[in-house]
Amino acid sequence: MRLYLFLLVAGIVAIAGVLVGLWWAPFVVGLALGIVVRRGRIGVPIGAAIGLLAWLAPLAIAHESHGLGLTATSLAAIMGFDHQPAVPLALTLLLGTLLGLTGAWLGASSRGVVTSVRSGT
Amino acid sequence: MFVTAETAVAERPAVQVASASRRRGSRLPSLNLLAATLVSAAVLYAALFPVGPLPALGPAFNPITGAWTMAADAQVTDRTFRLAGLQQPVKVLLEQDGTAHLTAQTDHDLFLATGYVHAKFRLFQMDLMRRQGEGRLSQIVGKAALDSDRFELQLGLLRTAEAEWNALAADDEAHAALLAYAQGVNDRIAEAESMHQLDAMFTLLGYQPRPWSPIDSLVVKGDMTQTLNFTDTPLVMALLNKSLGADLASEWFPILPPNAQSPYDLGPYSNRSLAPIEAPGLVSDAEAASANALLDRLEALPPGLIAKGGASNNWAVGGAKSSSGGALLAGDPHLHLTLPAIWFQLTMDSPRYHAAGVSIPGTPVVLIGHNEHIAWSLTDAQNQQTFFYQEHEDSTHSGQYLWNGTWRRYQTVNYDVPVAGGPTQHLAVKLSVHGPVISERGQTTSVWWAGNVPSQDLRVLLDIDRSRSWQEFRDALRGWYSPTHNFVYADERGNIGLISAGYYPQVAKGRPWLPMPGTGEYDIIGTIPFDDIPQAYNPPANVIWSANQRQVTKDYPYYIGTASNFFNPGYRANEIHRVLSQPGKLSASDMQALQTDTRDYLASEIVPVLLKSLSSEHLNATEASAVALLNDWDFRMETGSVAASVWWYFWGWYLTETFNPWWKSRAVKVGMGEVWDALGQDLEMWTLADPNNRAFSAPGIGSRTAGDALRKSFRQLIADLVKMLGPNLRSWTYGRVHKRTLENLADVAGLNYGPRADRGDANTPLAAGGYPSTEGPSWRMVVDWGSHTFQSIYPGGQSENPASGWYTNHVDTWWAGRLNPMLSADQASTAAGVRAWSMRP
C-alpha cells in the first residue's frame, strides 16, 4: 500500500513540476523512485510511465483548451517533417519518457551498487 | 529489458554459488550503474544542450514553456493589463482578421503601444530583420550566415543607424517616437518571457531576444533601403563592357531606354548645374577582374541583400475624372512575398496622429496609407544610388590610398562577430572617403551608397502621417534621401500628385554606370536640387502613375541612371497609362480591376509581329494550333490560357535565340538573366522598328532578320513544349507552368504558402515574374475620396505564429483580387468579433 501511495505522490510531483515549467522533474522523480523502490523491474518502467504522463498531461490540457493540431503541424514543418504532426508529438513524449526512465534506472542502479557493497558481494 | 542491481543481487535469496559466478555477479551492479550513467548523461545532454542542428530538447519541447506554447500564443482574447511607461490608458481593438486599431491619449503612448503590438505579433521577424542589418545572424544560425554578416558590417547599416540616432536632437519628435516605441517592444519582451510566450523560433533556436533600441528601428529601415536600392549594376556593366566591347555594350545598354515608355513627368525641366557624362570607353583588364571578383562575392550572398530590379505600381486619378467626384488613389508595392509579410496593418490615433495603413514591424509609423485628409503610396524610383570606386594604392604606401593628390590612411572599424557553435570571428572594415571597402581582390573597391548617408526618414514619415495638403506632403519629402521613391498623393479636395523623392547623386565627371577611379575627380559632388527632381501635381489629363519606369523624358537634363540600372522596361507603366487614359470616368472598382490586370503590354506589341512573320509559313498541326490560339488571344496572362503559356516561353526562347550566340562567342561572364530586361527592351525595339539590326546576325549565325529569329524561335519552342508538356496543346495552360509561392521568412519550406497556380507575369500590372513567382503585390490599397472609402489587402496575416488563425488568413482574399474595407477605430469598435485590449499605466 505504501508503495502505491509513494508512486501516486511521485506521479503528482512529476506532473506538478512539469506544469510549473520544470521539464526535468520526471528525471528527478524517477531518480528518487529508482532509489526508493526495491524492485527495479517495477521501478524503472514506472519511472518511464511517470515521465510520459508528466509530459503528456500539460499537452492534453493545452489541447483541450487551445487545440494543438496547428501547432503540431507547424512544429513538424519547422523540423522538416511536413504534414506529419505526429512527429513532434512523439518526440516530445519520447523525451518525457526517457527522462523518467533514465532517472529511475540511474536511481535503481545506484541503489544496486550500494546494496552490493553493503552485502560484501 | 533493463538489468538492475536488484535483479542481480538484492532481491535474490541468499544462495551459495560458485566463486566464478560470484565474481561475475559482483561486477554486474557496477556495469549497470555505468550503463545507466552513460545513457542518462546522453539523454540529459541532448535535453540541456544543442546538438548539431538540434536545439536543447528539454527547453525546446517543454510542454509548458517550450515550442508548444505557440498554441496558447495564437489565442487572442479581451485583456486588461498594465504596460510600463504609459502615461494614459490606451485602447487597442483587434478586428476579426487581426487588423489593429490603436487609440492613445498622447503621442508618446501611441508609439509605445505600437511597439508593444508589433512585438506581440512579430517579435521574431523584428529580431531577424535587425540581426540581418546588424550582422548578427551567425550568432543564432551559425557560420552559414557569416558571409551575410561580414557583408552587412562592411556595408554599414549599423554605422549609419548609429549616426542617425546620434544626430537626432533629444527634443526631436522622431527621437521621442523611437524611444517610446522601443519601450513598448521591451515591455512585450519582458511580458513574453515572464509568461513563456516568446515565439517558438526563439525557443527552437535557443536564444532570448535582447532588448530593443531605437538604433534597431533605424537598422530595420536600413534593411528596406538596401533591399530596394543597393545594386551591383556597375559591376555587371563593367563585365559586359569588357566582354562585349564598348560599342555593343553602349548600344545594348544605353543610358536612355530604347523603347517607348510612359514617363509621368513630361517637363518642361529646368536646366541647372549639369554634370558632364563621359562617352563610353573600354574597361581595363584590371578593372574587369576586380569587378568580376566583387560580383562573384555579391552573387553568393543570400537573396534580398542586393536589389535586383523592382516592381511596384501606384497611380492617382483627379476628381474631375473620377465617377465619385473625389480623387482616387491606388497603390501596390511589389516585394518579396513572405510569411509573415513585411507589413503590419493598423490605425494609429492620438491627439496629433490619425493614420491608417501599413507599417513595417520594427518602425513606429504608417509607411503607406491615409489620414483624414490625404492618402499616399509609393513605388521604387530605381535611379542609381550605388557607385563603386576603385581605390588607387601602391606598395610604397601600405594601408593608404591616393585621393585628390594625397595619400590617405584608411579608417578602420573593428567588429567581433559571434558565431553559434564556433569561435567568434573578427572583422576589420576599412573605410575610404567614398565609403566602405567591400573587396580587396584585385583592385581595392569601395562603395558610395546613398543608403549610407544618414537621413531622418522617420521624421519625414511622421510629417507625412500628419500632412493635410500637397504642400505639407511635398515639404516633408525634402528630407527623404534613400531609397528614392515615387510617392503618389491624392487628397480630400480632389488633388493628385506624384514626386520621386530622394537623392539623385551627381558625379563631377566620369562614367557612373561603371566602377570609377577613386582618385577624387570622379566623386559624387551633389544631388539634383529638390525642385528639379521628377514630380507632377494635378496634371492636365487628371491621371498620374508610376510603375518603376523612368519618370522623365529624354529631355531631362540630369543623369539618373541607365536603362539597365535598373528602371523597369515600362510595360506595366504603359498598360496602366493605357487603361487610365481611356475616355470616360474611373471608379474605385476600376482601380481594383487595374491592380489585378493581367494584360501583357509587351505581348500586345510582339505577338502580332510574330503572327505576321508566320503567316506564309508551312506549319505542322501543333504549330498551327498554337498560332490559332495566339490569334484569338487577348494578351491576358490567365491561368486557363494556353496562349499565355506559349507567349511566356516564347519571349525567353526569342531572347536566347538572339543573344545567346553573342554570349557564347564573346564569352560573356554575366548571365543573360542579369540583364534580361535591358536586352528585352532592345529586342522589342528591333522587332518593331529595326528588324535588320546586326544583333540578329551573331557570329556563326550568318545574316538574318528579326523575322528569321522569330520563326526559328517559335518552331523550336513548340517542339520543346511538346517534349516538356506533352503533345496535347490544350493541356498547356498557364496555371500549369506558372505558380506563386509565399515564402516563410525563416526559410522553413513547410511553412510556405503554395506553390499555387497564379496569373500575371513580370510585365502585367498584377506582377508575377519568375518561376515560381515569389515577388509581387505585397499590399494593395484603393482610396476613393469621393465616397470616403478605403480598401486594402495584403498576402499573409497579422501574426508570425504559424499556429495562429492570423498567419495566412488574408491570402485567399488577396489571391482572388478582392479588397477588405479599411475600418477606422470607431467603425471597428462595432464590428463583429472584435477583441479589445485595455492598456493601463
Side-chain angles (χ1 to χ4, degrees):
Chain A
M1 189 62 191
R2 270 175 33 194
L3 176 65
Y4 293 129
L5 192 61
F6 176 75
L7 293 179
L8 182 65
V9 170
I12 290 171
V13 169
I15 292 172
V18 174
L19 282 172
V20 298
L22 307 177
W23 57 266
W24 39 265
F27 182 84
V28 175
V29 169
L31 190 67
L33 194 76
I35 292 171
V36 172
V37 176
R38 288 186 174 188
R39 285 177 294 175
R41 285 179 190 277
I42 294 175
V44 174
I46 287 178
I50 286 177
L52 174 66
L53 274 178
W55 277 49
L56 179 64
L59 290 180
I61 294 168
H63 183 63
E64 192 59 27
S65 54
H66 316 306
L68 289 180
L70 266 178
T71 300
T73 304
S74 304
L75 286 175
I78 293 169
M79 295 163 66
F81 297 99
D82 295 359
H83 313 300
Q84 297 179 63
V87 172
L89 186 64
L91 180 65
T92 302
L93 297 179
L94 176 66
L95 185 59
T97 306
L98 283 175
L99 285 169
L101 184 150
T102 51
W105 185 17
L106 190 62
S109 59
S110 304
R111 177 191 165 87
V113 169
V114 171
T115 307
S116 169
V117 170
R118 281 182 182 167
S119 65
T121 54
Chain B
M1 179 58 65
F2 294 92
V3 180
T4 67
E6 286 85 347
T7 59
V9 180
E11 304 292 330
R12 287 185 179 174
V15 292
Q16 293 294 319
V17 292
S19 60
S21 297
R22 203 158 49 235
R23 278 198 301 276
R24 275 201 305 275
S26 69
R27 281 201 301 270
L28 273 175
S30 301
L31 288 173
N32 191 27
L33 177 60
L34 180 64
T37 303
L38 289 174
V39 174
S40 297
V43 169
L44 287 177
Y45 188 88
L48 284 165
F49 303 103
V51 180
L54 291 175
L57 297 177
F61 291 98
N62 182 340
I64 296 298
T65 63
W68 291 100
T69 57
M70 70 167 75
D73 179 56
Q75 312 301 311
V76 179
T77 56
D78 291 348
R79 290 177 66 198
T80 299
F81 55 102
R82 293 190 182 282
L83 207 55
L86 281 184
Q87 297 165 339
Q88 301 287 332
V90 172
K91 189 174 177 187
V92 177
L93 298 176
L94 296 158
E95 284 183 54
Q96 209 161 20
D97 70 352
T99 303
H101 301 271
L102 286 67
T103 307
Q105 296 171 41
T106 69
D107 296 340
H108 166 273
D109 287 353
L110 179 65
F111 298 122
L112 191 150
T114 303
Y116 176 87
V117 171
H118 275 171
K120 161 69 183 159
F121 293 106
R122 299 289 185 88
L123 184 59
F124 182 68
Q125 176 185 25
M126 291 162 62
D127 191 59
L128 269 191
M129 290 171 75
R130 68 173 165 174
R131 282 182 177 279
Q132 182 199 306
E134 294 169 6
R136 285 289 178 274
L137 283 175
S138 308
Q139 191 173 22
I140 57 169
V141 301
K143 62 182 180 184
L146 204 47
D147 283 347
S148 167
D149 284 349
R150 285 195 185 113
F151 176 72
E152 293 295 347
L153 288 169
Q154 284 180 323
L155 186 59
L157 296 191
L158 181 58
R159 291 190 300 276
T160 305
E162 288 168 344
E164 288 170 341
W165 177 243
N166 292 334
L168 267 178
D171 60 350
D172 192 302
E173 63 182 318
H175 189 275
L178 285 166
L179 278 176
Y181 181 85
Q183 177 158 10
V185 176
N186 291 329
D187 284 349
R188 172 55 194 167
I189 291 174
E191 178 191 69
E193 286 179 343
S194 68
M195 297 172 69
H196 308 297
Q197 286 183 343
L198 279 177
D199 185 275
M201 292 305 289
F202 288 111
T203 313
L204 293 172
L205 288 169
Y207 78 100
Q208 303 276 308
R210 64 173 168 77
W212 193 264
S213 78
I215 290 173
D216 295 327
S217 292
L218 296 171
V219 166
V220 168
K221 182 209 74 171
D223 283 337
M224 284 303 291
T225 305
Q226 180 184 345
T227 297
L228 293 170
N229 196 253
F230 181 81
T231 64
D232 58 8
T233 316
L235 306 173
V236 172
M237 295 308 295
L239 293 181
L240 289 170
N241 180 298
K242 183 67 189 167
S243 49
L244 286 172
D247 59 337
L248 274 188
S250 61
E251 182 181 329
W252 291 359
F253 306 101
I255 294 173
L256 296 173
N259 62 343
Q261 297 196 357
S262 303
Y264 78 81
D265 180 0
L266 302 175
Y269 311 115
S270 60
N271 192 346
R272 310 177 194 191
S273 59
L274 293 186
I277 300 295
E278 284 187 359
L282 190 61
V283 168
S284 71
D285 288 343
E287 289 170 334
S290 177
N292 195 25
L294 179 51
L295 194 60
D296 282 347
R297 183 186 175 204
L298 298 182
E299 293 289 321
L301 292 172
L305 301 189
I306 311 292
K308 289 289 182 187
S312 302
N313 307 321
N314 63 23
W315 61 85
V317 177
K321 193 175 169 62
S322 157
S323 55
S324 72
L328 305 171
L329 180 141
D332 54 300
H334 305 172
L335 294 168
H336 184 200
L337 301 180
T338 58
L339 293 172
I342 186 68
W343 305 117
F344 185 87
Q345 187 175 352
L346 77 176
T347 64
M348 298 174 68
D349 288 289
S350 71
R352 291 200 309 153
Y353 293 91
H354 300 282
V358 278
S359 56
I360 295 175
T363 64
V365 287
V366 169
L367 182 57
I368 301 175
H370 71 87
N371 61 24
E372 296 160 301
H373 308 288
I374 72 165
W376 68 95
S377 186
L378 46 87
T379 65
D380 204 20
Q382 313 289 126
N383 65 301
Q384 185 175 351
Q385 289 204 319
T386 311
F387 300 80
F388 292 90
Y389 286 95
Q390 291 174 327
E391 305 295 355
H392 183 86
E393 298 173 329
D394 71 27
S395 56
T396 60
H397 296 85
S398 176
Q400 298 179 68
Y401 62 100
L402 186 67
W403 185 71
N404 280 343
T406 56
W407 289 95
R408 296 172 66 99
R409 194 160 287 284
Y410 289 105
Q411 188 188 342
T412 305
V413 186
N414 293 296
Y415 296 98
D416 285 327
V417 187
V419 181
T424 295
Q425 301 285 309
H426 181 74
L427 178 70
V429 177
K430 289 162 69 175
L431 302 169
S432 76
V433 293
H434 305 107
V437 170
I438 58 170
S439 176
E440 295 187 80
R441 291 171 62 188
Q443 287 184 268
T444 298
T445 305
S446 59
V447 61
W448 189 102
W449 175 47
N452 276 341
V453 178
S455 64
Q456 301 306 338
D457 300 341
L458 184 62
R459 188 195 300 140
V460 172
L461 292 170
L462 290 170
D463 288 343
I464 286 176
D465 283 8
R466 283 201 316 270
S467 293
R468 290 162 300 181
S469 66
W470 169 253
Q471 189 62 46
E472 290 182 7
F473 181 76
R474 187 175 177 276
D475 283 347
L477 286 168
R478 286 180 183 275
W480 185 271
Y481 299 161
S482 181
T484 322
H485 280 319
N486 302 306
F487 287 84
V488 73
Y489 166 97
D491 69 25
E492 60 182 344
R493 292 182 292 278
N495 302 305
I496 59 171
L498 186 52
I499 179 165
S500 305
Y503 267 169
Y504 292 79
Q506 303 293 294
V507 295
K509 68 173 196 175
R511 298 169 289 168
W513 55 88
L514 296 173
M516 295 179 287
T519 43
E521 311 94 290
Y522 307 91
D523 284 4
I524 306 290
I525 55 170
T527 179
I528 299 175
F530 185 76
D531 289 339
D532 288 358
I533 64 174
Q535 54 196 294
Y537 182 60
N538 284 336
N542 276 303
V543 293
I544 201 160
W545 64 94
S546 81
N548 315 104
Q549 84 278 27
R550 194 178 180 89
Q551 299 90 344
V552 288
T553 70
K554 62 180 175 51
D555 298 326
Y556 191 65
Y558 297 97
Y559 173 77
I560 59 173
T562 70
S564 50
N565 182 68
F566 39 65
F567 294 101
N568 187 269
Y571 309 126
R572 281 180 295 111
N574 289 356
E575 175 64 12
I576 291 165
H577 182 211
R578 186 187 73 82
V579 172
L580 293 180
S581 303
Q582 287 169 358
K585 301 213 169 188
L586 294 160
S587 66
S589 57
D590 293 326
M591 306 294 96
Q592 183 179 349
L594 183 51
Q595 284 182 331
T596 53
D597 186 337
T598 60
R599 187 174 183 274
D600 186 317
Y601 189 89
L602 180 63
S604 75
E605 291 183 317
I606 300 297
V607 169
V609 181
L610 168 66
L611 294 174
K612 190 177 174 188
S613 78
L614 295 168
S615 58
S616 55
E617 287 288 295
H618 178 71
L619 304 171
N620 66 32
T622 311
E623 291 167 349
S625 298
V627 164
L629 286 171
L630 287 171
N631 258 317
D632 293 338
W633 188 38
D634 58 2
F635 313 117
R636 295 191 183 276
M637 305 298 288
E638 294 293 331
T639 52
S641 169
V642 172
S645 296
V646 174
W647 162 250
W648 161 266
Y649 282 109
F650 172 76
W651 187 243
W653 260 241
Y654 184 35
L655 272 162
T656 305
E657 174 62 32
T658 306
F659 290 105
N660 204 39
W662 290 100
W663 248 243
K664 280 185 177 170
S665 66
R666 303 280 172 110
V668 180
K669 289 180 179 169
V670 177
M672 278 175 56
E674 284 281 320
V675 285
W676 200 255
D677 281 349
L679 295 175
Q681 293 175 64
D682 295 328
L683 192 56
E684 173 199 2
M685 283 319 296
W686 300 334
T687 306
L688 297 176
D690 183 16
N692 296 312
N693 190 285
R694 63 171 166 159
F696 294 111
S697 306
I701 296 293
S703 177
R704 65 176 183 176
T705 64
D708 297 328
L710 283 165
R711 284 185 288 273
K712 184 176 178 193
S713 303
F714 179 78
R715 286 185 183 282
Q716 184 62 50
L717 167 68
I718 298 302
D720 289 345
L721 286 180
V722 168
K723 289 179 196 158
M724 288 163 54
L725 303 174
N728 180 9
L729 182 135
R730 295 282 164 192
S731 73
W732 299 356
T733 54
Y734 189 54
R736 194 174 153 203
V737 299
H738 181 261
K739 303 191 188 297
R740 193 195 286 279
T741 300
L742 313 182
E743 296 184 312
N744 175 260
L745 195 65
D747 217 13
V748 178
L751 297 179
N752 291 349
Y753 183 97
R756 174 176 165 183
D758 199 19
R759 53 198 173 144
D761 67 17
N763 301 329
T764 58
L766 173 56
Y771 177 84
S773 180
T774 56
E775 304 214 349
S778 62
W779 160 256
R780 293 191 186 113
M781 181 176 75
V782 172
V783 171
D784 182 348
W785 281 110
S787 60
H788 266 74
T789 54
F790 310 93
Q791 302 173 83
S792 66
I793 191 70
Y794 72 86
Q798 295 282 79
S799 174
E800 67 185 351
N801 181 348
S804 166
W806 293 346
Y807 181 63
T808 55
N809 58 318
H810 288 157
V811 174
D812 286 341
T813 305
W814 175 88
W815 214 287
R818 298 194 302 270
L819 300 166
N820 288 333
M822 296 171 72
L823 302 183
S824 66
D826 282 346
Q827 291 167 325
S829 65
T830 57
V834 70
R835 276 150 257 192
W837 291 350
S838 293
M839 302 174 172
R840 306 205 171 280

